[in-house]
């Protein structure tokens, strides 16, 4: 926080934390990057210096992403199998890369949303 012209503290602009999490940006200010690597969360936001070290999503995002990606691929494969009866090797050739791509593609935004929800609900671990 910085001091404004009237001597009062200026609060950082509040943005929608869910949108910031989906965009992999700091849910506090919406400016700084949330990740230093593929899934490694930064210690502090580069823009607003928010401390992320107290937040921990654990495997929560991975569980939700596996359920979402698995559901999409399994029900799509079931529909294709019933409607068109392709050979099993063709189903595996399409379904396995699809579930891998969905899982990897949704993991960063999913973890960003989990962090944003922790911040929004003010979860504290002592």
């Amino acid at each position: 926080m910085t001091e404004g012209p009237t001597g009062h503290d200026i609060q950082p602009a509040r943005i929608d934390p869910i949108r910031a999490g989906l965009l992999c940006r700091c849910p506090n200010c919406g400016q700084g990057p949330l990740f230093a690597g593929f899934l490694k969360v930064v210690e502090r936001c580069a823009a607003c210096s928010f401390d992320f070290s107290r937040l921990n999503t654990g495997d929560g995002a991975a569980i939700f992403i596996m359920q979402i990606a698995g559901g999409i691929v399994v029900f799509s494969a079931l529909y294709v199998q019933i409607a068109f009866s392709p050979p099993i090797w063709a189903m595996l050739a399409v379904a396995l890369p699809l579930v891998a791509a969905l899982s990897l593609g949704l993991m960063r935004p999913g973890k960003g949303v989990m962090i944003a929800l922790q911040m929004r609900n003010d979860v504290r671990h002592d």
Side-chain angles (χ1 to χ4, degrees):
M1 288 190 277
T2 59
E3 214 169 270
T6 59
H8 298 294
D9 286 342
I10 297 173
Q11 298 289 332
R14 295 302 299 175
I15 61 157
D16 180 26
I18 305 300
R19 180 176 177 184
L22 285 171
L23 296 173
C24 301
R25 292 287 179 201
C26 171
N28 190 48
C29 67
Q31 301 298 316
L34 187 57
F35 298 104
F38 181 64
L39 290 177
K40 183 176 180 350
V41 180
V42 295
E43 295 281 327
R44 293 191 167 279
C45 175
C48 70
S49 297
F50 184 83
D51 184 19
F52 290 106
S53 63
R54 66 182 179 92
L55 299 174
N56 182 15
T57 60
D59 291 334
I63 299 299
F64 287 118
I65 298 306
M66 284 189 303
Q67 297 294 320
I68 292 168
I72 291 170
V73 172
V74 166
F75 287 114
S76 298
L78 182 62
Y79 173 76
V80 169
Q81 186 65 38
I82 291 171
F84 304 110
S85 287
I88 193 69
W89 63 266
M91 291 294 295
L92 289 174
V94 173
L96 292 178
L98 182 60
V99 77
L102 276 174
S103 296
L104 293 174
L106 294 174
M107 191 57 66
R108 279 177 60 111
K111 188 165 184 171
V113 168
M114 293 291 286
I115 290 170
L117 288 173
Q118 275 188 333
M119 287 178 61
R120 187 181 75 181
N121 295 326
D122 197 28
V123 174
R124 296 174 199 249
H125 292 85
D126 296 322

